[in-house]
Amino acid sequence: MSRVVVTGRVPDAAIDKLRAEHEVDAWQSPESIGREELLRRVAGADAVVSLLTERIDSELLDAAGPQLKVVANVAVGYDNIDVPACTERGIVATNTPDVLTDATADIALGLILMATRRLGEGERLIRSGQPWKWGMFFLLGNSLHGKTLGIVGMGGIGQATARRAKAFGMEIIYQSRSEIDPGIAAELGARRVDLDELLTVSDIVSLHCPYGPATHHLIGAEQLAAMKDSAYLINTARGPIIDEAALASALREGQISGAGLDVFENEPRVHPGLLELENVVLVPHLGSATVETRTAMAMLAADNTLAVLGDERPPSPIN
Ligand code: DGY
């Protein structure tokens, strides 16, 4: 029997599955586990099931000890894990791709609709008790039909967002490290372009790339200036892909029309300049937040853990 440490609350089904075979020490408080407590608990663990709020670095891996075999992240993004440090120590790192693709694409579409149709503004207006009535020019937004969606990072979530946008009558262009499957490109009518072209041509830019040194502040002042002044920027990937200070200034100056953000540069803090603006929709990292999706994510992390502890290949290894 191995010792599995779970760093935060996950659906019971995943804990039960792990507990059927191993000793499980699962953090149960709704508050995040503090760093000190985390370092103390991982000592002697054979497996760590981690949430994206916990930094899995050399210090933690050393605190765990040489018996640690697997770090199973309950997220598709794994910028919280020092993967080379895991690899150096022979530790398998895993993530949860695919199971959250549709939920995240739904939120991307939701943000596109909220930003372009000014739904947040309308809701705030009604709740504030201000008088209003229907008017020909009241809270006009922009239509999606016939507009161009530029997707940065055309993996599963980018493609799922494109599929939804196509159903709304949008044209799709994308920037990605590689061409996507030609059949899918044809189905979506999607054309691959470079980032410069994507930024200048798109009516909506939606970010779906992983975060890392190569994508830190991928969208900064220069890129925002290259976008149309009627364009919108959507981010459901990771906050630091955007320079938030530059975005706040571009939105304030009318360099772009609006934005929709599910993720933030210094999460959970939001740049104060963004909080003051009407033309940005802000939601608290809800991309995968459905009962079904979170359960599937936790079950996949459990399967990854059990596979490695059983000396089998896990379903979704990173390294
Ligand atoms: C992920 O899995 O990376 C998502 O951001 C979680 O919502």
Side-chain angles (χ1 to χ4, degrees):
M1 196 181 256
S2 298
R3 181 159 173 271
V4 181
V5 170
V6 184
T7 71
R9 287 177 71 205
V10 298
D12 288 344
I15 299 289
D16 293 346
K17 188 163 195 178
L18 290 166
R19 241 179 215 141
E21 294 185 38
H22 300 288
E23 179 200 326
V24 178
D25 176 4
W27 180 252
Q28 288 301 345
S29 164
E31 297 297 318
S32 288
I33 188 168
R35 181 74 180 171
E36 258 180 44
E37 178 67 16
L38 178 62
L39 292 178
R40 202 180 60 72
R41 285 204 182 204
V42 295
D46 303 288
V48 172
V49 176
S50 54
L51 302 192
L52 58 83
T53 40
E54 268 61 69
R55 195 162 29 89
I56 308 296
D57 55 9
S58 301
E59 182 189 34
L60 183 137
L61 301 175
D62 291 340
Q67 76 299 325
L68 182 63
K69 287 174 101 173
V70 55
V71 172
N73 218 31
V74 191
V76 66
Y78 49 84
D79 48 296
N80 59 313
I81 300 180
D82 184 341
V83 179
C86 288
T87 308
E88 268 167 30
R89 292 164 174 76
I91 298 164
V92 179
T94 66
N95 69 341
T96 59
D98 305 330
V99 291
L100 45 69
T101 295
D102 285 319
T104 309
D106 289 347
I107 286 284
L109 232 293
L111 287 174
I112 291 172
L113 286 166
M114 284 188 77
T116 56
R117 300 302 301 275
R118 305 176 65 178
L119 298 179
E121 278 177 78
E123 231 245 349
R124 283 192 293 278
L125 182 118
I126 290 194
R127 285 186 186 278
S128 73
Q130 285 181 58
W132 66 276
K133 64 174 189 231
W134 187 92
M136 187 60 92
F137 300 101
F138 177 59
L139 275 186
L140 295 192
N142 289 108
S143 301
L144 296 183
H145 191 91
K147 299 285 170 57
T148 297
L149 174 64
I151 297 209
V152 178
M154 195 63 156
I157 299 172
Q159 290 175 30
T161 303
R163 200 161 283 122
R164 284 157 176 72
K166 191 169 165 56
F168 280 77
M170 299 191 76
E171 306 291 329
I172 312 295
I173 57 176
Y174 71 95
Q175 182 264 329
S176 220
R177 273 178 304 203
S178 47
E179 290 277 353
I180 59 169
D181 176 277
I184 296 175
E187 172 207 330
L188 296 171
R191 185 169 63 87
R192 185 170 169 225
V193 297
D194 63 25
L195 184 61
D196 290 344
E197 180 177 348
L198 182 140
L199 292 170
T200 49
V201 167
S202 299
D203 299 297
I204 295 166
V205 173
S206 191
L207 305 179
H208 300 282
C209 51
Y211 174 66
T215 54
H216 179 76
H217 284 189
L218 181 71
I219 306 296
E222 197 185 317
Q223 291 71 27
L224 290 158
M227 289 171 67
K228 296 180 184 177
D229 57 10
S230 55
Y232 297 84
L233 178 64
I234 306 298
N235 191 7
T236 52
R238 283 291 182 268
I241 298 171
I242 297 178
D243 176 345
E244 245 172 47
L247 176 61
S249 143
L251 287 166
R252 198 175 46 243
E253 304 302 324
Q255 257 179 14
I256 65 170
S257 197
L261 307 176
D262 182 43
V263 286
F264 301 92
E265 192 170 348
N266 297 301
E267 229 168 279
R269 279 193 299 118
V270 177
H271 191 284
L274 293 173
L275 293 171
E276 290 165 6
L277 298 170
E278 285 289 355
N279 57 347
V280 57
V281 178
L282 307 166
V283 296
H285 205 149
L286 298 178
S288 63
T290 72
V291 173
E292 298 85 348
T293 304
R294 290 283 163 83
T295 304
M297 290 163 69
M299 293 306 272
L300 179 50
D303 288 342
N304 278 319
T305 304
L306 294 175
V308 178
L309 293 178
D311 292 326
E312 283 165 24
R313 190 177 162 72
S316 45
I318 300 164
N319 57 355

